[in-house]
Amino acid sequence: MNPHTNKHNRTGGFLRFPIIAGGILAIALALSGCVVTEDLSLDATTAGSSKTDLMIMDFFSEVLEDMSEFMPESSDETITDAAVKDFAANLSNADNTTNVHVEKLPGSENSSYTVVFQFKNLEQLFRDLGGGAEQSVLTVSRSGKDTTLKLQLSMDNYDQLTKIIPFLADPNFEVWGPVYNVGETEENYLEMMRYILSEDGPPAIKNSLITLRFKTPSPIKSNINGTVLDATTFEYSFPLIDFLLLATPLTFSVTW
């Protein structure tokens, strides 16, 4: 599909994907036009809890309204409400998760949501969402008394992420993501967004930030590509555009 054709359909795919994808670590990677903060608290067995805060910027409200054709005529839910609700239902049906709760925050002009749940094993959760297949996007390894959590996302294993998040392989989104934009420069990509989404599109995308924060069960001993906020809190942040182009791997590791 040519990125400069079928403007309506491609805009719909681009924005619908992030909302469906909100919630867990890998899913937070894909959120667009938003500020995303993902907090994961882990225990010694890498069981724990997740809390994700999603805020969709005002700029995307009109675009989301234009997507109303994706909703049943009888529904009074917004496209974002329905997508977050569907995601929560999928989490509730997973063997690895419990106590799934979604709340739409009142009193804000932006669409803001909080998604919380507990999981039995973080790495197993990724395998379950990927249909049981082994994956290298998020791994937990142990050496002696040390435990290391590592994120490694590149074009080499991007196909694994599409199994964890099937919507990434949807034709309406694929043309917006790294598979269809291999070798594309940030300047050219944002120019395309300016053409499709107006002058407000590029800054809205550039201002979209993904923040992943981890609470470890014991003091952090070392880390790569992140920030240690306190003895047991590690943070990794990156711009959304880095995921959309994936020109360089998104990677971090933290050891406790």
Side-chain angles (χ1 to χ4, degrees), residues 212 223-229 233-237 251-254:
L212 311 175
N223 80 96
I224 298 174
N225 291 342
T227 302
V228 176
L229 301 182
T233 306
F234 171 80
E235 184 176 278
Y236 176 65
S237 294
T251 180
F252 74 75
S253 71
V254 56

Side-chain angles (χ1 to χ4, degrees), residues 82-194:
V84 172
K85 181 179 178 181
D86 287 346
F87 173 70
N90 290 338
L91 277 177
S92 296
N93 292 331
D95 293 336
N96 210 310
T97 60
T98 57
N99 300 324
V100 180
H101 177 71
V102 177
E103 180 182 3
K104 184 174 183 179
L105 304 181
S108 173
E109 294 180 358
N110 300 311
S111 295
S112 299
Y113 304 84
T114 295
V115 182
V116 297
F117 64 94
Q118 293 176 312
F119 52 88
K120 300 173 185 177
N121 181 282
L122 181 61
E123 200 169 19
Q124 183 62 46
L125 177 60
F126 270 63
R127 282 195 293 268
D128 291 348
L129 293 174
E134 293 297 322
Q135 55 81 37
S136 59
V137 177
L138 187 77
T139 58
V140 178
S141 61
R142 294 176 177 82
S143 177
K145 296 182 179 180
D146 294 346
T147 300
T148 298
L149 175 69
K150 180 182 292 186
L151 173 75
Q152 180 72 31
L153 179 63
S154 69
M155 292 306 301
D156 292 336
N157 65 356
Y158 182 79
D159 63 312
Q160 297 175 13
L161 190 62
T162 65
K163 293 181 176 66
I164 297 169
I165 312 173
F167 201 86
L168 283 170
D170 186 287
N172 285 320
F173 176 76
E174 272 191 326
V175 290
W176 299 79
V179 172
Y180 272 68
N181 293 284
V182 172
E184 189 64 89
T185 66
E186 179 176 330
E187 181 181 6
N188 288 343
Y189 185 90
L190 292 175
E191 181 59 32
M192 181 176 69
M193 295 303 101
R194 180 175 290 106

